[in-house]
Amino acid sequence: MAAYEAVVDEAEDAVFGGMTLPAALSAMLRDTVLFLYQKDWFHPQDHARLVIAGMGEAEAFPVLIQYSVGALAAGALRYRKDHEARCGGEEDAFVVPFAQDDLIHTVINGIHPRIHREVIERAVRWTPNGVRPKTEKDEAFDAREAELAELLHEIVLAPYFKPFMEAVSALPRQDLARMAEALVNLTAFLMHMTADEDETVAEPIDVALLSKGDGFVWFRHKEVGR
């Protein structure tokens, strides 16, 4: 807490106009700041996502890592690694969508994420004692929910996802770039036609290829016009 002391004092003066707060309230404000910047949590309006993809000198196959990046706290950048995907071993290929990702998840998995969640929630409610307790953890409820999620994965996701990824792993690099462009274009079109969501994906769309031999090469770039 000592690292934030001067900043908290300055913020307290700015917010409360020089009022002298009771010691207990002042201590609670400092505890709030401590919890805010030490917890693995980022305010939805105060963070960004950073995606790093490619192959370093130590990697023989592509690697993708996603971070959540927040504000500076006591001179240190707050960040958290959210996701990591690596080709090689059991994974020959992967498709990782970001931001407005519901449509791409639908293409990959064969079911819209919202429908997937709704099916599980409704199915759980149809089982005996299917109302989740509001104040205490119900292990039996969680077990039913996990069992239904596994069943849905077995009958819907797995039969669709595996053949799709096998096809992706066999595509030449140029076709992979075309697929990525098509998925983003489709998402942009859906966002344009959806009235109840912000249009955060739109043309023009830039597409680049990363490879061990050629490095970074534009496939589609608005300045190049390819």
Side-chain angles (χ1 to χ4, degrees):
M1 186 61 208
Y4 308 123
E5 195 70 37
V7 178
V8 173
D9 289 341
E10 182 179 344
E12 183 178 316
D13 290 338
V15 172
F16 296 102
M19 295 173 53
T20 301
L21 298 179
L25 180 56
S26 182
M28 290 173 62
L29 287 174
R30 281 154 176 74
D31 287 342
T32 301
V33 172
L34 187 65
F35 292 145
L36 178 64
Y37 287 103
Q38 288 189 341
K39 294 292 184 180
D40 187 13
W41 176 86
F42 295 88
H43 191 282
Q45 303 299 325
D46 190 32
H47 85 290
R49 288 186 173 90
L50 175 66
V51 180
I52 303 172
M55 289 169 284
E57 294 182 357
E59 284 84 23
F61 300 101
V63 178
L64 182 147
I65 304 176
Q66 177 188 358
Y67 290 92
S68 285
V69 181
L72 289 170
L77 181 65
R78 298 183 64 242
Y79 65 90
R80 175 188 66 208
K81 185 167 76 171
D82 294 330
H83 182 72
E84 179 176 327
R86 293 177 177 269
C87 281
E90 298 181 357
E91 299 293 338
D92 294 328
F94 51 83
V95 177
V96 184
F98 304 101
Q100 295 282 2
D101 57 3
D102 284 350
L103 178 64
I104 298 179
H105 276 301
T106 303
V107 173
I108 297 172
N109 297 318
I111 184 172
H112 194 283
R114 179 180 55 79
I115 298 175
H116 180 268
R117 292 190 299 269
E118 189 71 18
V119 167
I120 294 176
E121 291 174 2
R122 293 197 178 196
V124 170
R125 289 200 296 268
W126 290 337
T127 60
N129 301 320
V131 178
R132 178 182 286 278
K134 295 181 179 180
T135 58
E136 60 184 37
K137 183 175 178 61
D138 186 340
E139 294 183 0
F141 188 100
D142 292 338
R144 288 197 301 272
E145 191 173 60
E147 183 179 355
L148 288 167
E150 181 63 28
L151 178 62
L152 193 59
H153 182 274
E154 179 181 340
I155 64 177
V156 177
L157 302 184
Y160 192 90
F161 178 82
K162 184 176 180 181
F164 179 86
M165 282 304 172
E166 288 176 348
V168 170
S169 66
L171 287 177
R173 286 183 294 176
Q174 297 294 320
D175 289 341
L176 287 172
R178 292 188 183 94
M179 182 194 73
E181 184 180 22
L183 290 173
V184 178
N185 269 316
L186 190 57
T187 302
F189 176 75
L190 180 65
M191 292 298 99
H192 182 68
M193 299 300 294
T194 304
D196 59 348
E197 292 191 34
D198 294 334
E199 190 174 347
T200 59
V201 181
E203 295 181 341
I205 296 167
D206 295 329
V207 182
L209 283 168
L210 291 169
S211 66
K212 196 77 169 179
D214 298 331
F216 184 98
V217 178
W218 283 115
F219 174 80
R220 189 84 64 198
H221 189 37
K222 52 183 172 290
E223 295 180 0
V224 177
R226 292 182 57 189

